[in-house]
Amino acid sequence: MIGLWDTTGNEVVKALAAERRSAGGVASGMALTLIVVVDEKRVREAEAAATIAAAAHPCRLLVVVRSDVERDRNRLDAEIVVGGRLGPCEAVVTRMYGRLALHAESVVMPLLVPDVPVVTWWHGEPPEEIATDFLGVVADRRITDSAQAADPVAALRQRAVDYAPGDTDLAWTRITPWRTLVAGAFDTAQYGITEATVVAPRRDPTAALMRGWLAARLHIDPVWEPTDEFPRMREVGLRCANGDELVLTREDSMATFRRTGQEDRALPLVRRPLGDELAEELRRLDADQVYAEALGAAAGISGLEQRPGKRVHVWKDPATAQRAEAGVTAHADATANG
C-alpha cells in the first residue's frame, strides 16, 4: 500500500502507475471501473463489499470520500492498493476536503481505466438527483440503495422520478431470490394469476418493487398488507383463476412454499452479503428494462425505459444551498419574533 497525504491528482496518477508496474500481472485484465461514493465511517464496509465483487469482476476501485466542503483549505489524501488486501483489483481511496470535494471528477477522471465501462455506486443515502453528481453522469451504470434513506419507499419513488436507463437500486437486487422462486411457481400453474398479495413493513422498498414487478408482469394490482411483526418482506401470495393459492413465506434463511392441494415445500431464501448483491449488479452493464418497468409500476410512472440514457450534469453547490436554507430559517424566525 502507498499512502499519499496532502497530495495532488497528478501525484496519485503517478503513484498508481508505479504500483501497477511493480504488481505486474496482478494489475491486468480490468473489466470495469467501480466508483464508490461513501462516508468516512463506512469506507471499510464498502471496501469489504467491493472485495467480494472484484473476485468475480476484476476492476479498478475508486473510493471517493468527501468531507467538510466549507473548509478553507483544499486537501487530497490517497491510499493506493494493488493486488493486496482488497483482492484482485486496483484500489485508490481518496479523501477530499474543502471545495475540492465538490469537484471530485478532477481527481477521478484521470484514474478511469481506458475503454472499459464505468459503474458508480453510492454506499449511503442516494442523491435526490443523480445528474447533480458528475460521478453519476460519467457512469454507464449507477447503483443506489434506497434502503439507506430516511424514508426508503419515498426514496424509491424519487428514483423513478429521476430515472434514466442504466440506473438500478440494491433494493431490486435483494428481491432476485424472491423473484426466482415466484417465477418458478408459474412453471406448473395451469391458470392465470388474478390476485396477488405482498406482506411487508410499510417502509420496505423491496416490497414496493416486488409489488411493482408483479403488477408489470401480471397486469394486476397487487395488495400490500402492512405488518410490524417482521423487519422485511414476509410473504408473497398469488391466487389463480381456478381458485388455487400459491404462497411463499420467509422463515429466516428458508421459505415455505404452499400450494392448494399439494404438500408444503421448504426452499432456500438466504439474505446475501452486500458484496454478493453488488457482484450481481456488475454482471450486466446495459439498462435493466425489467427493473425500469417494476420501478415505474411501483411509483405509478410509465415509460421509464423509453427515457434517454444520457444524463447532463447539473451543477449544485451543497454549501450554498445549506447557507441559503439557514438564511431562510433565520428570516422566518425573525419575522415570527417580530
Side-chain angles (χ1 to χ4, degrees), residues 198-204 207 224-235:
V198 177
V199 179
R202 294 180 184 275
R203 293 165 54 83
D204 187 351
W224 186 337
E225 291 187 1
T227 178
D228 295 325
E229 298 180 9
F230 306 96
R232 60 185 69 93
M233 186 161 54
R234 168 67 169 174
E235 185 175 280

Side-chain angles (χ1 to χ4, degrees), residues 13-61:
V13 172
K14 292 177 183 178
L16 176 60
E19 191 69 2
R20 293 184 78 244
R21 287 194 295 270
S22 299
V26 175
S28 63
M30 297 293 102
L32 55 91
T33 299
L34 176 60
I35 304 172
V36 182
V37 183
V38 63
D39 292 334
E40 179 64 51
K41 61 183 179 181
R42 307 189 72 181
V43 170
R44 297 309 175 200
E45 185 179 307
E47 288 181 348
T51 300
I52 295 174
H57 310 280
C59 63
R60 179 172 293 174
L61 173 64

Side-chain angles (χ1 to χ4, degrees), residues 64 66 96 100-109 135:
V64 177
R66 297 172 169 131
M96 305 179 192
L100 175 63
L102 301 179
H103 302 279
E105 67 277 4
S106 64
V107 176
V108 171
M109 291 295 287
L135 299 181

Side-chain angles (χ1 to χ4, degrees), residues 14 27 35 58 71 111 137 181 194 202 214 225 228 271 277 300 303-304 330-331:
K14 292 177 183 178
I35 304 172
R71 184 174 179 174
L111 297 172
V137 175
L181 295 179
T194 58
R202 294 180 184 275
L214 292 171
E225 291 187 1
D228 295 325
R271 184 174 175 86
E277 296 170 350
L304 297 189
H331 176 73

